[in-house]
Amino acid sequence: MPETEEPQGELAIRVMPMPADLNGAGDVFGGYVMSQMDIAGSLMAAELAGGRVVTVAVDSMHFVAPVKVGDVLCIYDRAVRRGRTSVTIRIEAWVRRGLIGDREKVTQADFTYVHLDEQGRPAPLPRETEKTSP
Ligand SMILES: CC(C)(COP(=O)(O)OP(=O)(O)OC[C@H]1O[C@@H](n2cnc3c(N)ncnc32)[C@H](O)[C@@H]1OP(=O)(O)O)[C@@H](O)C(=O)NCCC(=O)NCCS
């Protein structure tokens, strides 16, 4: 990872993991990080869709650094693809070591969400506006 790399997108979530979020080795459980990413992405997707969305796909994801107790987990996101009923959000997870220390990238993935109507069927995204364009 180049040292000059900066987080891309909006800061959507800033949270401090708690001991209940740890795995057996004492680091933060990867599923916790993924769930925070999914929460952030679904909020952005719902805003773009103007309604209910579901997660339909997550592209391959690998963790390049651990998250430890005392780190602050920061989730950044941005829309990168807009389909007929679906939108793809690129989501990055970074940590601030020990609350105020160095910033380090943990993982990144593309999450795709589908806009659903009241019957739970895929529904077209609203017409593109400045706010809804990726
Ligand atoms: C989301 C869901 C309604 C889509 O149903 P479907 O029969 O595949 O619907 P469609 O074929 O009309 O596809 C709808 C959109 O999803 C996209 N899509 C479907 N499967 C996909 C996949 N595996 N990867 C990426 N996009 C996918 C399609 O490309 C389409 O997008 P577009 O309209 O922008 O082109 C259905 O798969 C579902 O309910 N999945 C469960 C979602 C869920 O519960 N998530 C939380 C799990 S805990």
Side-chain angles (χ1 to χ4, degrees):
M1 205 79 59
E3 279 182 12
T4 53
E5 191 179 10
E6 291 289 325
Q8 302 293 312
E10 289 177 20
L11 176 60
I13 291 179
R14 211 155 66 103
V15 63
M16 181 179 278
M18 292 291 148
D21 306 317
L22 304 188
N23 63 24
D27 290 334
V28 172
F29 175 51
Y32 172 84
V33 177
M34 291 172 71
S35 74
Q36 296 300 317
M37 294 170 78
D38 196 18
I39 290 166
S42 66
L43 290 173
M44 176 173 276
E47 196 176 318
L48 293 171
R52 174 183 168 198
V53 295
V54 281
T55 313
V56 70
V58 182
D59 78 349
S60 68
M61 181 168 183
H62 69 283
F63 290 87
V64 294
V67 182
K68 296 180 176 293
V69 171
D71 292 345
V72 177
L73 179 65
C74 303
I75 309 293
Y76 295 84
D77 60 5
R78 62 198 155 110
V80 292
R81 188 200 62 88
R82 183 190 171 93
R84 194 181 77 84
T85 65
S86 68
V87 61
T88 300
I89 312 290
R90 183 157 299 157
I91 306 175
E92 299 183 6
W94 289 69
V95 286
R96 206 35 118 169
R97 295 292 179 205
L99 195 60
I100 52 170
D102 290 343
R103 193 162 53 187
E104 203 173 336
K105 191 172 184 179
V106 171
T107 189
Q108 162 181 328
D110 286 353
F111 285 62
T112 298
Y113 300 88
V114 177
H115 180 214
L116 298 184
D117 64 17
E118 285 177 2
Q119 282 70 47
R121 294 175 306 221
L125 297 172
R127 213 158 49 84
E128 219 165 327
T129 64
E130 200 174 315
K131 184 168 171 108
T132 63
S133 55

mmCIF file of all heavy atoms in Angstrom, residues 22-67:
data_model
loop_
_atom_site.group_PDB
_atom_site.id
_atom_site.type_symbol
_atom_site.label_atom_id
_atom_site.label_comp_id
_atom_site.label_asym_id
_atom_site.label_seq_id
_atom_site.Cartn_x
_atom_site.Cartn_y
_atom_site.Cartn_z
ATOM 1 N N LEU A 22 -14.288 -8.785 19.362
ATOM 2 C CA LEU A 22 -12.980 -9.416 19.109
ATOM 3 C C LEU A 22 -13.110 -10.884 18.717
ATOM 4 O O LEU A 22 -14.055 -11.553 19.127
ATOM 5 C CB LEU A 22 -12.105 -9.336 20.367
ATOM 6 C CG LEU A 22 -11.858 -7.954 20.949
ATOM 7 C CD1 LEU A 22 -10.819 -8.036 22.064
ATOM 8 C CD2 LEU A 22 -11.424 -6.983 19.873
ATOM 9 N N ASN A 23 -12.115 -11.362 17.963
ATOM 10 C CA ASN A 23 -12.027 -12.801 17.704
ATOM 11 C C ASN A 23 -11.161 -13.443 18.790
ATOM 12 O O ASN A 23 -10.692 -12.755 19.710
ATOM 13 C CB ASN A 23 -11.463 -13.070 16.289
ATOM 14 C CG ASN A 23 -10.039 -12.542 16.122
ATOM 15 O OD1 ASN A 23 -9.308 -12.375 17.088
ATOM 16 N ND2 ASN A 23 -9.663 -12.275 14.884
ATOM 17 N N GLY A 24 -10.939 -14.757 18.670
ATOM 18 C CA GLY A 24 -10.208 -15.488 19.706
ATOM 19 C C GLY A 24 -8.770 -15.027 19.858
ATOM 20 O O GLY A 24 -8.146 -15.252 20.901
ATOM 21 N N ALA A 25 -8.216 -14.394 18.822
ATOM 22 C CA ALA A 25 -6.819 -13.952 18.881
ATOM 23 C C ALA A 25 -6.686 -12.553 19.476
ATOM 24 O O ALA A 25 -5.577 -12.040 19.626
ATOM 25 C CB ALA A 25 -6.218 -13.976 17.476
ATOM 26 N N GLY A 26 -7.819 -11.930 19.798
ATOM 27 C CA GLY A 26 -7.752 -10.609 20.426
ATOM 28 C C GLY A 26 -7.804 -9.453 19.452
ATOM 29 O O GLY A 26 -7.693 -8.296 19.861
ATOM 30 N N ASP A 27 -7.963 -9.747 18.143
ATOM 31 C CA ASP A 27 -8.155 -8.671 17.170
ATOM 32 C C ASP A 27 -9.643 -8.560 16.856
ATOM 33 O O ASP A 27 -10.436 -9.452 17.195
ATOM 34 C CB ASP A 27 -7.375 -8.962 15.882
ATOM 35 C CG ASP A 27 -5.874 -8.857 16.086
ATOM 36 O OD1 ASP A 27 -5.452 -8.108 17.000
ATOM 37 O OD2 ASP A 27 -5.134 -9.525 15.347
ATOM 38 N N VAL A 28 -10.003 -7.494 16.171
ATOM 39 C CA VAL A 28 -11.414 -7.313 15.848
ATOM 40 C C VAL A 28 -11.817 -8.323 14.765
ATOM 41 O O VAL A 28 -11.102 -8.533 13.774
ATOM 42 C CB VAL A 28 -11.679 -5.851 15.408
ATOM 43 C CG1 VAL A 28 -13.096 -5.691 14.889
ATOM 44 C CG2 VAL A 28 -11.432 -4.911 16.594
ATOM 45 N N PHE A 29 -12.947 -8.955 14.981
ATOM 46 C CA PHE A 29 -13.510 -9.962 14.091
ATOM 47 C C PHE A 29 -13.789 -9.340 12.703
ATOM 48 O O PHE A 29 -14.396 -8.270 12.620
ATOM 49 C CB PHE A 29 -14.809 -10.431 14.763
ATOM 50 C CG PHE A 29 -15.648 -11.389 13.998
ATOM 51 C CD1 PHE A 29 -15.107 -12.531 13.451
ATOM 52 C CD2 PHE A 29 -17.004 -11.154 13.856
ATOM 53 C CE1 PHE A 29 -15.905 -13.424 12.758
ATOM 54 C CE2 PHE A 29 -17.807 -12.041 13.172
ATOM 55 C CZ PHE A 29 -17.260 -13.177 12.613
ATOM 56 N N GLY A 30 -13.341 -10.027 11.636
ATOM 57 C CA GLY A 30 -13.531 -9.488 10.286
ATOM 58 C C GLY A 30 -14.986 -9.237 9.951
ATOM 59 O O GLY A 30 -15.323 -8.281 9.245
ATOM 60 N N GLY A 31 -15.875 -10.091 10.469
ATOM 61 C CA GLY A 31 -17.306 -9.931 10.191
ATOM 62 C C GLY A 31 -17.854 -8.630 10.755
ATOM 63 O O GLY A 31 -18.799 -8.059 10.202
ATOM 64 N N TYR A 32 -17.252 -8.168 11.846
ATOM 65 C CA TYR A 32 -17.682 -6.887 12.418
ATOM 66 C C TYR A 32 -17.359 -5.758 11.439
ATOM 67 O O TYR A 32 -18.181 -4.875 11.176
ATOM 68 C CB TYR A 32 -16.979 -6.652 13.766
ATOM 69 C CG TYR A 32 -17.219 -5.277 14.326
ATOM 70 C CD1 TYR A 32 -18.360 -5.000 15.055
ATOM 71 C CD2 TYR A 32 -16.303 -4.246 14.103
ATOM 72 C CE1 TYR A 32 -18.595 -3.718 15.556
ATOM 73 C CE2 TYR A 32 -16.527 -2.973 14.598
ATOM 74 C CZ TYR A 32 -17.669 -2.714 15.316
ATOM 75 O OH TYR A 32 -17.899 -1.456 15.801
ATOM 76 N N VAL A 33 -16.144 -5.810 10.877
ATOM 77 C CA VAL A 33 -15.732 -4.765 9.919
ATOM 78 C C VAL A 33 -16.648 -4.807 8.696
ATOM 79 O O VAL A 33 -17.136 -3.774 8.223
ATOM 80 C CB VAL A 33 -14.251 -4.966 9.517
ATOM 81 C CG1 VAL A 33 -13.832 -3.940 8.480
ATOM 82 C CG2 VAL A 33 -13.353 -4.893 10.751
ATOM 83 N N MET A 34 -16.915 -6.035 8.207
ATOM 84 C CA MET A 34 -17.792 -6.166 7.027
ATOM 85 C C MET A 34 -19.184 -5.617 7.321
ATOM 86 O O MET A 34 -19.811 -4.997 6.463
ATOM 87 C CB MET A 34 -17.881 -7.631 6.607
ATOM 88 C CG MET A 34 -16.572 -8.152 6.045
ATOM 89 S SD MET A 34 -16.614 -9.923 5.755
ATOM 90 C CE MET A 34 -17.706 -10.016 4.364
ATOM 91 N N SER A 35 -19.694 -5.866 8.535
ATOM 92 C CA SER A 35 -21.052 -5.391 8.840
ATOM 93 C C SER A 35 -21.089 -3.867 8.897
ATOM 94 O O SER A 35 -22.044 -3.246 8.418
ATOM 95 C CB SER A 35 -21.595 -6.016 10.122
ATOM 96 O OG SER A 35 -20.978 -5.454 11.250
ATOM 97 N N GLN A 36 -20.034 -3.254 9.417
ATOM 98 C CA GLN A 36 -20.001 -1.785 9.436
ATOM 99 C C GLN A 36 -19.948 -1.241 8.003
ATOM 100 O O GLN A 36 -20.581 -0.230 7.683
ATOM 101 C CB GLN A 36 -18.788 -1.282 10.238
ATOM 102 C CG GLN A 36 -18.820 -1.644 11.708
ATOM 103 C CD GLN A 36 -20.028 -1.069 12.433
ATOM 104 O OE1 GLN A 36 -20.397 0.086 12.228
ATOM 105 N NE2 GLN A 36 -20.661 -1.864 13.267
ATOM 106 N N MET A 37 -19.205 -1.937 7.131
ATOM 107 C CA MET A 37 -19.125 -1.514 5.726
ATOM 108 C C MET A 37 -20.493 -1.641 5.063
ATOM 109 O O MET A 37 -20.935 -0.758 4.312
ATOM 110 C CB MET A 37 -18.089 -2.360 4.972
ATOM 111 C CG MET A 37 -16.670 -2.138 5.473
ATOM 112 S SD MET A 37 -15.489 -3.327 4.802
ATOM 113 C CE MET A 37 -15.219 -2.688 3.141
ATOM 114 N N ASP A 38 -21.191 -2.741 5.363
ATOM 115 C CA ASP A 38 -22.507 -2.968 4.754
ATOM 116 C C ASP A 38 -23.521 -1.929 5.249
ATOM 117 O O ASP A 38 -24.359 -1.447 4.481
ATOM 118 C CB ASP A 38 -22.972 -4.391 5.072
ATOM 119 C CG ASP A 38 -24.118 -4.852 4.181
ATOM 120 O OD1 ASP A 38 -24.340 -4.247 3.115
ATOM 121 O OD2 ASP A 38 -24.796 -5.823 4.558
ATOM 122 N N ILE A 39 -23.429 -1.583 6.528
ATOM 123 C CA ILE A 39 -24.332 -0.554 7.066
ATOM 124 C C ILE A 39 -24.091 0.771 6.328
ATOM 125 O O ILE A 39 -25.032 1.424 5.847
ATOM 126 C CB ILE A 39 -24.122 -0.378 8.589
ATOM 127 C CG1 ILE A 39 -24.634 -1.606 9.330
ATOM 128 C CG2 ILE A 39 -24.805 0.899 9.093
ATOM 129 C CD1 ILE A 39 -24.185 -1.683 10.794
ATOM 130 N N ALA A 40 -22.821 1.144 6.202
ATOM 131 C CA ALA A 40 -22.499 2.408 5.532
ATOM 132 C C ALA A 40 -22.987 2.391 4.088
ATOM 133 O O ALA A 40 -23.622 3.344 3.611
ATOM 134 C CB ALA A 40 -20.989 2.649 5.583
ATOM 135 N N GLY A 41 -22.707 1.282 3.376
ATOM 136 C CA GLY A 41 -23.099 1.199 1.966
ATOM 137 C C GLY A 41 -24.599 1.210 1.780
ATOM 138 O O GLY A 41 -25.118 1.836 0.848
ATOM 139 N N SER A 42 -25.307 0.526 2.678
ATOM 140 C CA SER A 42 -26.769 0.461 2.513
ATOM 141 C C SER A 42 -27.398 1.829 2.769
ATOM 142 O O SER A 42 -28.401 2.171 2.137
ATOM 143 C CB SER A 42 -27.377 -0.601 3.426
ATOM 144 O OG SER A 42 -27.213 -0.243 4.775
ATOM 145 N N LEU A 43 -26.801 2.616 3.655
ATOM 146 C CA LEU A 43 -27.336 3.962 3.884
ATOM 147 C C LEU A 43 -27.166 4.819 2.632
ATOM 148 O O LEU A 43 -28.099 5.524 2.211
ATOM 149 C CB LEU A 43 -26.629 4.623 5.074
ATOM 150 C CG LEU A 43 -26.951 4.026 6.447
ATOM 151 C CD1 LEU A 43 -26.061 4.655 7.516
ATOM 152 C CD2 LEU A 43 -28.413 4.230 6.782
ATOM 153 N N MET A 44 -25.976 4.747 2.031
ATOM 154 C CA MET A 44 -25.768 5.539 0.812
ATOM 155 C C MET A 44 -26.674 5.040 -0.312
ATOM 156 O O MET A 44 -27.286 5.826 -1.035
ATOM 157 C CB MET A 44 -24.300 5.487 0.374
ATOM 158 C CG MET A 44 -24.067 6.211 -0.932
ATOM 159 S SD MET A 44 -22.336 6.362 -1.392
ATOM 160 C CE MET A 44 -21.854 7.801 -0.468
ATOM 161 N N ALA A 45 -26.785 3.708 -0.452
ATOM 162 C CA ALA A 45 -27.618 3.147 -1.529
ATOM 163 C C ALA A 45 -29.082 3.528 -1.335
ATOM 164 O O ALA A 45 -29.770 3.886 -2.301
ATOM 165 C CB ALA A 45 -27.460 1.630 -1.567
ATOM 166 N N ALA A 46 -29.573 3.476 -0.098
ATOM 167 C CA ALA A 46 -30.980 3.820 0.164
ATOM 168 C C ALA A 46 -31.242 5.284 -0.162
ATOM 169 O O ALA A 46 -32.301 5.642 -0.688
ATOM 170 C CB ALA A 46 -31.324 3.520 1.621
ATOM 171 N N GLU A 47 -30.243 6.110 0.114
ATOM 172 C CA GLU A 47 -30.395 7.539 -0.197
ATOM 173 C C GLU A 47 -30.456 7.741 -1.709
ATOM 174 O O GLU A 47 -31.289 8.486 -2.217
ATOM 175 C CB GLU A 47 -29.202 8.285 0.400
ATOM 176 C CG GLU A 47 -29.414 9.772 0.505
ATOM 177 C CD GLU A 47 -28.238 10.443 1.195
ATOM 178 O OE1 GLU A 47 -27.738 9.886 2.195
ATOM 179 O OE2 GLU A 47 -27.826 11.495 0.724
ATOM 180 N N LEU A 48 -29.574 7.027 -2.433
ATOM 181 C CA LEU A 48 -29.574 7.160 -3.898
ATOM 182 C C LEU A 48 -30.851 6.590 -4.497
ATOM 183 O O LEU A 48 -31.375 7.106 -5.487
ATOM 184 C CB LEU A 48 -28.361 6.441 -4.488
ATOM 185 C CG LEU A 48 -26.995 7.043 -4.154
ATOM 186 C CD1 LEU A 48 -25.867 6.138 -4.599
ATOM 187 C CD2 LEU A 48 -26.853 8.410 -4.814
ATOM 188 N N ALA A 49 -31.356 5.495 -3.896
ATOM 189 C CA ALA A 49 -32.554 4.832 -4.430
ATOM 190 C C ALA A 49 -33.828 5.528 -3.978
ATOM 191 O O ALA A 49 -34.886 5.342 -4.580
ATOM 192 C CB ALA A 49 -32.574 3.372 -3.973
ATOM 193 N N GLY A 50 -33.724 6.278 -2.910
ATOM 194 C CA GLY A 50 -34.922 6.927 -2.374
ATOM 195 C C GLY A 50 -35.860 5.924 -1.724
ATOM 196 O O GLY A 50 -37.079 6.133 -1.693
ATOM 197 N N GLY A 51 -35.332 4.824 -1.213
ATOM 198 C CA GLY A 51 -36.183 3.819 -0.565
ATOM 199 C C GLY A 51 -35.381 2.613 -0.136
ATOM 200 O O GLY A 51 -34.152 2.656 -0.071
ATOM 201 N N ARG A 52 -36.130 1.527 0.100
ATOM 202 C CA ARG A 52 -35.539 0.295 0.643
ATOM 203 C C ARG A 52 -34.564 -0.366 -0.350
ATOM 204 O O ARG A 52 -34.847 -0.433 -1.549
ATOM 205 C CB ARG A 52 -36.716 -0.640 0.925
ATOM 206 C CG ARG A 52 -36.368 -2.008 1.343
ATOM 207 C CD ARG A 52 -37.668 -2.811 1.493
ATOM 208 N NE ARG A 52 -37.375 -4.212 1.628
ATOM 209 C CZ ARG A 52 -38.261 -5.177 1.424
ATOM 210 N NH1 ARG A 52 -39.499 -4.881 1.069
ATOM 211 N NH2 ARG A 52 -37.915 -6.434 1.580
ATOM 212 N N VAL A 53 -33.457 -0.854 0.183
ATOM 213 C CA VAL A 53 -32.495 -1.597 -0.652
ATOM 214 C C VAL A 53 -32.080 -2.879 0.081
ATOM 215 O O VAL A 53 -32.199 -2.960 1.308
ATOM 216 C CB VAL A 53 -31.222 -0.765 -0.965
ATOM 217 C CG1 VAL A 53 -31.534 0.454 -1.803
ATOM 218 C CG2 VAL A 53 -30.470 -0.380 0.303
ATOM 219 N N VAL A 54 -31.604 -3.852 -0.697
ATOM 220 C CA VAL A 54 -30.984 -5.044 -0.094
ATOM 221 C C VAL A 54 -29.607 -5.231 -0.712
ATOM 222 O O VAL A 54 -29.372 -4.856 -1.860
ATOM 223 C CB VAL A 54 -31.789 -6.348 -0.322
ATOM 224 C CG1 VAL A 54 -32.961 -6.454 0.614
ATOM 225 C CG2 VAL A 54 -32.180 -6.514 -1.768
ATOM 226 N N THR A 55 -28.738 -5.848 0.052
ATOM 227 C CA THR A 55 -27.402 -6.189 -0.453
ATOM 228 C C THR A 55 -27.550 -7.414 -1.336
ATOM 229 O O THR A 55 -28.065 -8.447 -0.878
ATOM 230 C CB THR A 55 -26.460 -6.544 0.723
ATOM 231 O OG1 THR A 55 -26.592 -5.553 1.733
ATOM 232 C CG2 THR A 55 -25.022 -6.647 0.266
ATOM 233 N N VAL A 56 -27.095 -7.308 -2.595
ATOM 234 C CA VAL A 56 -27.188 -8.485 -3.470
ATOM 235 C C VAL A 56 -25.818 -9.110 -3.698
ATOM 236 O O VAL A 56 -25.738 -10.320 -3.936
ATOM 237 C CB VAL A 56 -27.891 -8.142 -4.801
ATOM 238 C CG1 VAL A 56 -27.029 -7.254 -5.690
ATOM 239 C CG2 VAL A 56 -28.277 -9.404 -5.552
ATOM 240 N N ALA A 57 -24.732 -8.335 -3.612
ATOM 241 C CA ALA A 57 -23.410 -8.907 -3.881
ATOM 242 C C ALA A 57 -22.313 -8.078 -3.216
ATOM 243 O O ALA A 57 -22.450 -6.866 -3.053
ATOM 244 C CB ALA A 57 -23.162 -8.961 -5.390
ATOM 245 N N VAL A 58 -21.259 -8.784 -2.849
ATOM 246 C CA VAL A 58 -20.042 -8.139 -2.344
ATOM 247 C C VAL A 58 -18.903 -8.757 -3.130
ATOM 248 O O VAL A 58 -18.803 -9.987 -3.181
ATOM 249 C CB VAL A 58 -19.833 -8.412 -0.839
ATOM 250 C CG1 VAL A 58 -18.587 -7.686 -0.330
ATOM 251 C CG2 VAL A 58 -21.057 -8.016 -0.022
ATOM 252 N N ASP A 59 -18.081 -7.917 -3.760
ATOM 253 C CA ASP A 59 -16.988 -8.500 -4.549
ATOM 254 C C ASP A 59 -15.903 -9.026 -3.607
ATOM 255 O O ASP A 59 -16.012 -8.888 -2.393
ATOM 256 C CB ASP A 59 -16.432 -7.476 -5.552
ATOM 257 C CG ASP A 59 -15.509 -6.454 -4.895
ATOM 258 O OD1 ASP A 59 -15.452 -6.387 -3.648
ATOM 259 O OD2 ASP A 59 -14.851 -5.717 -5.636
ATOM 260 N N SER A 60 -14.870 -9.643 -4.185
ATOM 261 C CA SER A 60 -13.840 -10.276 -3.347
ATOM 262 C C SER A 60 -13.208 -9.243 -2.412
ATOM 263 O O SER A 60 -13.052 -8.079 -2.774
ATOM 264 C CB SER A 60 -12.767 -10.906 -4.220
ATOM 265 O OG SER A 60 -12.057 -9.894 -4.871
ATOM 266 N N MET A 61 -12.858 -9.715 -1.257
ATOM 267 C CA MET A 61 -12.413 -8.790 -0.215
ATOM 268 C C MET A 61 -11.260 -9.458 0.528
ATOM 269 O O MET A 61 -11.343 -10.647 0.843
ATOM 270 C CB MET A 61 -13.621 -8.629 0.707
ATOM 271 C CG MET A 61 -13.487 -7.724 1.842
ATOM 272 S SD MET A 61 -15.177 -7.509 2.467
ATOM 273 C CE MET A 61 -14.814 -6.353 3.725
ATOM 274 N N HIS A 62 -10.177 -8.733 0.732
ATOM 275 C CA HIS A 62 -9.144 -9.294 1.603
ATOM 276 C C HIS A 62 -8.697 -8.224 2.587
ATOM 277 O O HIS A 62 -8.743 -7.030 2.290
ATOM 278 C CB HIS A 62 -7.991 -9.900 0.816
ATOM 279 C CG HIS A 62 -7.150 -8.911 0.082
ATOM 280 N ND1 HIS A 62 -7.537 -8.316 -1.084
ATOM 281 C CD2 HIS A 62 -5.927 -8.403 0.369
ATOM 282 C CE1 HIS A 62 -6.599 -7.491 -1.498
ATOM 283 N NE2 HIS A 62 -5.612 -7.514 -0.624
ATOM 284 N N PHE A 63 -8.285 -8.700 3.754
ATOM 285 C CA PHE A 63 -7.891 -7.791 4.824
ATOM 286 C C PHE A 63 -6.373 -7.644 4.779
ATOM 287 O O PHE A 63 -5.653 -8.643 4.793
ATOM 288 C CB PHE A 63 -8.347 -8.343 6.183
ATOM 289 C CG PHE A 63 -9.843 -8.289 6.354
ATOM 290 C CD1 PHE A 63 -10.653 -9.324 5.913
ATOM 291 C CD2 PHE A 63 -10.442 -7.181 6.934
ATOM 292 C CE1 PHE A 63 -12.036 -9.266 6.056
ATOM 293 C CE2 PHE A 63 -11.819 -7.105 7.076
ATOM 294 C CZ PHE A 63 -12.622 -8.154 6.642
ATOM 295 N N VAL A 64 -5.900 -6.405 4.711
ATOM 296 C CA VAL A 64 -4.458 -6.174 4.595
ATOM 297 C C VAL A 64 -3.840 -5.724 5.913
ATOM 298 O O VAL A 64 -2.616 -5.664 6.036
ATOM 299 C CB VAL A 64 -4.132 -5.146 3.478
ATOM 300 C CG1 VAL A 64 -4.509 -5.702 2.123
ATOM 301 C CG2 VAL A 64 -4.823 -3.813 3.724
ATOM 302 N N ALA A 65 -4.661 -5.419 6.905
ATOM 303 C CA ALA A 65 -4.152 -5.019 8.225
ATOM 304 C C ALA A 65 -5.220 -5.341 9.268
ATOM 305 O O ALA A 65 -6.410 -5.322 8.954
ATOM 306 C CB ALA A 65 -3.826 -3.530 8.237
ATOM 307 N N PRO A 66 -4.805 -5.642 10.494
ATOM 308 C CA PRO A 66 -5.792 -5.953 11.537
ATOM 309 C C PRO A 66 -6.394 -4.687 12.138
ATOM 310 O O PRO A 66 -5.841 -3.593 12.020
ATOM 311 C CB PRO A 66 -4.963 -6.683 12.589
ATOM 312 C CG PRO A 66 -3.592 -6.096 12.455
ATOM 313 C CD PRO A 66 -3.427 -5.749 10.998
ATOM 314 N N VAL A 67 -7.551 -4.878 12.802
ATOM 315 C CA VAL A 67 -8.144 -3.812 13.614
ATOM 316 C C VAL A 67 -8.011 -4.278 15.058
ATOM 317 O O VAL A 67 -8.376 -5.406 15.385
ATOM 318 C CB VAL A 67 -9.628 -3.594 13.268
ATOM 319 C CG1 VAL A 67 -10.202 -2.444 14.094
ATOM 320 C CG2 VAL A 67 -9.805 -3.331 11.776
#
